[in-house]
Amino acid sequence: MTRIRSNKFRLVFSLFLLMAAVFASASAQEPAGEKPLAAQVKDWQALLDRYEKTLAKGEVDDDRLVEIRAELASLRLEVRSAADLARPLVQSARDELAALGPPPGEGEPPEAAGIAAKRKAIAERLANMEGSLKEADLVITRAEGMTQRLQALRRTRFTERVLSRGPSPLSPAVWRKGIQEMAEGAASLRQDFAAWLTGEGAAAQLGQMRWRLPLAVLTAVVIAWPLRLWFVRRFGYVELTAEPSYGQRLRTALVTGVIRTLIPSVAVLALYLGFTAGDLVSDRVQRIIEPLAAMLVTFFFVVAFCRAALAPGEPLWRLVALGDPGAKVIARIVTAMTAVFAIDAVVNVWGERFEWSVELMALHNFVTGLSIALLLLVLLRRRIWESELGTARWPGLRYALTLLVYAIPIAALPGYVVLSRLLAIQLVLSIGLYVLVTVLTKIGDEFVNHTLSEHAIVGRHLRSNLEVSPEGIDALNLWLTGLVRLGIGLAGILALLVLWGAGGSDLSSWLYEAVFGFKIGNITVSLADLAFGLLLFGGTLILTRFVQRTLEHRILPRTRIDPGVQHSIRTAVGYLGFTLALITLVSAAGFDLSQLAIIAGALSVGIGLGLQNVVNNFVSGLILLAERPVKVGDWIVVGEIQGYVKKISVRATEVLTFDSASVFIPNSELIAHPVTNRTYADKVGRIVVPVSFTYGTDARKVCETLMRVAAAHPKVLRQPGPSVFFKEFGSSSMNFEVVAFVADVDTMKSVTSELCIEIDAACRREGLSMPYPQRDVHLDFDPEQLSWLLDRLGAPPLSPDAPGAPRSNGV
């Protein structure tokens, strides 16, 4: 009990902190003591003028273009924020003018001097603010136009740079100059190393390296080895009696990747720190080993997680549906691809720092692109991607990628090395991004499933405290999984845009507009306000559910209120909570509640066209809950349908028949048509047992016997007591009725059966006989048919004078 209360307190406290943070951030956005909007507009216009002069010069490098673009994005955000803060002031001035009423017309007496002065001042203030808002909108339009010019200029420069033709790798002169430059660079490094060895401090530095490097490696092993052992024992491969679930495979792959990355990465970092600490190496050598160390750590990371996901030799723990040969080949290709990328990154850093020639960089880019293309061609082979049934997956995508891969060396041969490198690098990075998004999606699914499972705190709380049904848990799982996948997918799309050249300032501007407000016509939609509204909506629904549960289990059972009324109260609280949650959502999302009249008008048209039945049933459901002619648990009869009312919902009422079948009756049918409610006032039921006896039976004895049987039954009420009636003289029997009352209609069938059994036994004891039905059968035959029938039966024919002989023509 204490743990449950503490969890509730933590939940409430967390919600309070979240709401406080949201309101604090909202209040933090309100500027205090800033310049008036008119003064700010002048500053913004001056800033845009300076940008115009800068761009008019023409000779602006790419870095400056990126800076101006980021500053323009920031300026647009600032102007929008200031305009949003000024619009409530404009509306306030309009309300003040509306409160003063219309000015006096022609021929009317003039208004008071004070009122006229106030009207004039408010009108001037309103005109100034509206003018400032229009100028702010003009600043935004001008900044957007300038941003588009910058984007066009950068696209033009990017296209020129990518499509520029450089030295061809097929030229022998390029190879000669490149090899010569590499030889000169190697000789320069050897000279630097020889000069360092013959230097004065070389002996001391070598002596320090003798103990620093082993100490660094030993420290790394001491730190990393216990962590590795703990990870292996806690999350490594284990023996299982059954096939592991995808969640187990995913967790094991992640932890195995961390384990395989830990030791080599820590060793590389230790060696790097051992070399660079204390200025033991020169700046030139440090500039060589620094990118080398970073690329080695990246190489170990990618290779470790790739092998953990593909699990060569461990098919039970593999995350993708591949055969073991295909998994081994892909693991080798990814390892080789990672090595190519690492070498490429290190060489590019060295080329920038040591100012390599264009020919040498062209050779490097050509070799890198050709290596990537060969590895991708091996990766796209059909045999690797064949499923267990022998059919290759994604044939169209593989063919398209194959064409792009062939374009990499083809573009490099005539000299378009930059384009070739761009295709190779971006293609591989896009594939890697897709794999990353897929893995993150699987991780998100497993996280949601685990959070909502019976073993997690949230899942147990939803099932026990809020009494969410298994169907509700499945629906919540579906929605949360969809939201997580949507978020990861949007993040992947943004990353793909950045990967293919979109600027960070553009993305930040787009995200800001999407989150804090973008216009659709005259309506401003804000995803932040919408998310906050959804949070309040969900919180209000959870609070409503908690109140309903408290009423149902703690408060209402202690009262003497009828169970049907209790259900009505609980349902009414649910409707009220949902209405409040919906109003909160609409208000928090930024929609003007004053425009609900327009929405109501649109809804009225919809109701008139096709929603009238839905609204009719909804209103009828409210009437049923208010007047309570039918309550949950009542035994009702509607036409040929009878059963117990199980649930009264918005559209229909669920009736559980005696055959355990659920029948949904529209609420309007229960209001507009007669309904028999057998348990409306009370649950007393009336039993009628018809009994028949042969003619000649003593009627008084029959009445006494039946009355004695009915009065002796323990479930028959004494008040009102049972009765026996001589109903009628039937065609073949004297008909009686036994009328009795029981306290609970649910026992009518069983009591009726028991009374019939006792009546049969009593009649046998008293010698009272029950009749069989009597019937007179008349056969109409002509003489020929009768003679033929008698002849077939072997009887002598009847004479015409014999009794029963048929007569014809009056004879």
Side-chain angles (χ1 to χ4, degrees):
M1 191 69 176
T2 305
R3 183 177 181 181
I4 295 177
R5 289 178 178 175
S6 63
N7 289 334
K8 291 180 179 178
F9 174 77
R10 292 175 184 172
L11 179 61
V12 174
F13 185 70
S14 301
L15 291 176
F16 174 78
L17 289 180
L18 179 61
M19 295 179 65
V22 171
F23 284 119
S25 61
S27 62
Q29 294 176 357
E30 298 180 0
E34 285 190 353
K35 293 181 180 180
L37 184 60
Q40 291 181 340
V41 167
K42 293 181 180 179
D43 296 338
W44 296 330
Q45 294 285 5
L47 183 61
L48 290 178
D49 292 338
R50 289 198 298 269
Y51 291 154
E52 290 283 359
K53 292 179 181 179
T54 303
L55 294 178
K57 296 179 181 179
E59 298 297 330
V60 184
D61 58 359
D62 290 341
D63 294 337
R64 181 55 183 160
L65 289 179
V66 172
E67 292 178 1
I68 295 176
R69 189 177 176 185
E71 292 171 1
L72 287 174
S74 176
L75 177 63
R76 293 202 305 270
L77 300 181
E78 182 181 354
V79 175
R80 285 196 180 95
S81 178
D84 292 339
L85 291 175
R87 284 190 177 89
L89 300 178
V90 174
Q91 186 61 40
S92 176
R94 291 173 181 170
D95 294 339
E96 291 178 6
L97 278 180
L100 292 178
E106 186 177 355
E108 296 181 357
E111 59 185 354
I115 299 298
K118 289 182 179 179
R119 185 188 301 278
K120 182 179 179 182
I122 295 174
E124 292 177 354
R125 177 160 51 91
L126 178 60
N128 292 331
M129 287 189 296
E130 288 179 343
S132 299
L133 280 178
K134 292 179 180 178
E135 291 182 359
D137 293 336
L138 181 60
V139 170
I140 294 175
T141 303
R142 187 179 173 188
E144 289 176 349
M146 195 176 299
T147 302
Q148 292 176 0
R149 289 169 51 194
L150 287 174
Q151 291 175 350
L153 180 59
R154 293 190 66 223
R155 282 196 298 268
T156 302
R157 291 185 177 181
F158 177 77
T159 304
E160 293 176 353
R161 185 165 53 251
V162 170
L163 298 180
S164 62
R165 186 174 179 179
S168 173
L170 298 177
S171 173
V174 173
W175 285 92
R176 285 196 299 269
K177 186 173 181 180
I179 295 173
Q180 180 182 357
E181 189 171 351
M182 291 176 62
E184 292 175 355
S188 176
L189 286 177
R190 285 197 300 270
Q191 291 176 3
D192 291 343
F193 183 71
W196 177 72
L197 285 177
T198 58
E200 298 180 356
Q205 291 176 351
L206 288 174
Q208 292 180 4
M209 283 185 182
R210 289 193 187 97
W211 64 268
R212 281 191 176 182
L213 290 179
L215 180 61
V217 174
L218 180 61
T219 304
V221 171
V222 170
I223 294 175
W225 189 258
L227 289 176
R228 184 183 187 279
L229 293 179
W230 181 81
F231 274 116
V232 170
R233 288 195 304 267
R234 183 69 176 82
F235 301 104
Y237 294 123
V238 295
E239 295 292 335
L240 296 177
T241 57
E243 184 177 353
S245 64
Y246 193 87
Q248 290 175 323
R249 286 182 286 167
L250 183 60
R251 288 191 294 270
T252 304
L254 292 175
V255 176
T256 306
V258 173
I259 294 171
R260 291 173 175 170
T261 308
L262 191 61
I263 295 295
S265 299
V266 172
V268 170
L269 291 176
L271 290 174
Y272 172 75
L273 294 176
F275 272 109
T276 58
D279 297 330
L280 297 180
V281 295
S282 63
D283 294 338
R284 185 181 179 89
V285 176
Q286 185 169 354
R287 283 186 293 174
I288 294 175
I289 64 175
E290 182 177 340
L292 183 61
M295 290 304 106
L296 281 175
V297 172
T298 305
F299 173 79
F300 294 143
F301 178 83
V302 174
V303 171
F305 278 93
C306 173
R307 293 184 61 83
L310 296 175
E314 296 286 346
L316 290 179
W317 296 95
R318 190 168 298 139
L319 295 181
V320 291
L322 290 173
D324 203 55
K328 292 179 179 179
V329 172
I330 293 176
R332 296 191 189 101
I333 293 174
V334 172
T335 302
M337 189 81 71
T338 308
V340 171
F341 266 76
I343 295 172
D344 174 70
V346 172
V347 171
N348 281 330
V349 174
W350 289 353
E352 292 178 359
R353 292 182 177 179
F354 300 116
E355 299 179 355
W356 286 359
S357 64
V358 177
E359 290 79 5
L360 182 57
M361 292 302 298
L363 288 178
H364 160 66
N365 291 332
F366 173 72
V367 173
T368 301
L370 185 61
S371 303
I372 293 175
L374 292 176
L375 291 174
L376 287 177
L377 288 177
V378 176
L379 184 64
L380 293 174
R381 285 185 304 174
R382 183 178 183 274
R383 182 173 58 86
I384 297 178
W385 300 101
E386 284 184 350
S387 62
E388 297 178 356
L389 300 177
T391 58
R393 291 171 291 180
W394 309 323
L397 180 61
R398 288 189 298 106
Y399 292 150
L401 291 177
T402 302
L403 293 177
L404 289 176
V405 171
Y406 278 119
I408 295 173
I410 293 175
L413 292 177
Y416 297 101
V417 181
V418 177
L419 177 61
S420 172
R421 174 184 171 80
L422 179 68
L423 284 175
I425 300 298
Q426 303 302 89
L427 187 59
V428 175
L429 292 180
S430 299
I431 296 174
L433 179 62
Y434 172 76
V435 173
L436 177 62
V437 169
T438 304
V439 173
L440 291 178
T441 301
K442 296 295 185 181
I443 293 175
D445 294 346
E446 290 298 325
F447 176 77
V448 173
N449 292 333
H450 176 72
T451 303
L452 298 180
S453 65
E454 298 178 355
H455 308 290
I457 298 176
V458 177
R460 290 198 302 268
H461 178 76
L462 290 175
R463 288 172 172 82
S464 60
N465 294 349
L466 297 181
E467 294 183 349
V468 181
S469 62
E471 293 79 9
I473 295 292
D474 292 339
L476 184 61
N477 190 352
L478 175 65
W479 284 102
L480 290 179
T481 302
L483 289 176
V484 171
R485 289 190 173 189
L486 178 62
I488 295 174
L490 291 177
I493 293 174
L494 293 178
L496 186 64
L497 292 176
V498 173
L499 193 63
W500 285 93
S505 58
D506 292 335
L507 292 180
S508 62
S509 177
W510 296 341
L511 289 176
Y512 184 89
E513 292 178 359
V515 172
F516 293 101
F518 59 94
K519 285 190 175 182
I520 302 178
N522 294 326
I523 301 176
T524 301
V525 180
S526 173
L527 295 182
D529 293 340
L530 185 60
F532 182 64
L534 290 174
L535 181 63
L536 291 179
F537 179 77
T540 306
L541 290 183
I542 292 175
L543 181 61
T544 302
R545 179 64 177 170
F546 178 75
V547 172
Q548 283 183 299
R549 181 181 174 277
T550 304
L551 288 174
E552 183 180 5
H553 293 283
R554 296 185 180 182
I555 298 177
L556 294 179
R558 299 182 180 180
T559 63
R560 297 182 179 179
I561 301 177
D562 184 80
V565 180
Q566 294 182 14
H567 178 268
S568 299
I569 293 173
R570 182 180 180 277
T571 306
V573 170
Y575 286 160
L576 179 61
F578 180 79
T579 304
L580 291 177
L582 187 61
I583 293 174
T584 304
L585 172 62
V586 173
S587 178
F591 296 102
D592 189 3
L593 294 179
S594 62
Q595 298 180 355
L596 286 180
I598 302 175
I599 300 175
L603 287 178
S604 64
V605 176
I607 292 170
L609 293 177
L611 298 178
Q612 53 184 349
N613 291 331
V614 176
V615 176
N616 187 14
N617 290 323
F618 175 72
V619 175
S620 300
L622 295 179
I623 294 174
L624 290 176
L625 292 175
E627 294 185 355
R628 291 178 286 106
V630 173
K631 304 182 295 295
V632 173
D634 287 354
W635 178 0
I636 65 172
V637 180
V638 183
E640 297 180 355
I641 301 171
Q642 63 174 328
Y644 296 100
V645 177
K646 186 178 180 181
K647 183 181 180 182
I648 301 176
S649 60
V650 175
R651 188 193 67 84
T653 297
E654 182 181 356
V655 177
L656 184 64
T657 65
F658 300 128
D659 298 331
S660 296
S662 293
V663 180
F664 296 90
I665 303 174
N667 293 329
S668 58
E669 296 290 331
L670 301 179
I671 297 296
H673 297 85
V675 179
T676 301
N677 192 338
R678 293 184 177 273
T679 58
Y680 177 71
D682 51 41
K683 299 195 71 175
V684 174
R686 181 172 176 266
I687 297 175
V688 178
V689 181
V691 187
S692 300
F693 295 93
T694 57
Y695 280 104
T697 305
D698 188 355
R700 295 186 181 278
K701 184 177 181 181
V702 168
C703 291
E704 291 174 358
T705 303
L706 296 179
M707 189 67 182
R708 186 168 56 252
V709 171
H713 197 283
K715 292 185 179 180
V716 173
L717 294 179
R718 300 296 178 265
Q719 194 60 244
S723 302
V724 178
F725 300 97
F726 191 154
K727 184 178 179 182
E728 62 181 356
F729 292 99
S731 59
S732 58
S733 62
M734 299 188 303
N735 299 328
F736 295 81
E737 278 186 353
V738 180
V739 179
F741 296 88
V742 292
D744 190 353
V745 293
D746 294 334
T747 62
M748 286 180 58
K749 289 185 176 294
S750 61
V751 173
T752 301
S753 175
E754 293 170 1
L755 285 177
C756 290
I757 294 173
E758 294 297 330
I759 289 172
D760 178 68
C763 291
R764 292 178 185 276
R765 288 194 304 268
E766 299 295 335
L768 302 175
S769 61
M770 297 182 182
Y772 294 101
Q774 298 179 4
R775 298 288 185 268
D776 292 334
V777 181
H778 299 275
L779 301 177
D780 187 11
F781 294 106
D782 57 19
E784 291 81 4
Q785 290 175 337
L786 185 59
S787 300
W788 180 84
L789 182 62
L790 292 175
D791 182 60
R792 298 291 293 177
L793 295 175
L798 294 176
S799 63
D801 297 331
R807 286 171 169 76
S808 179
N809 298 326
V811 178

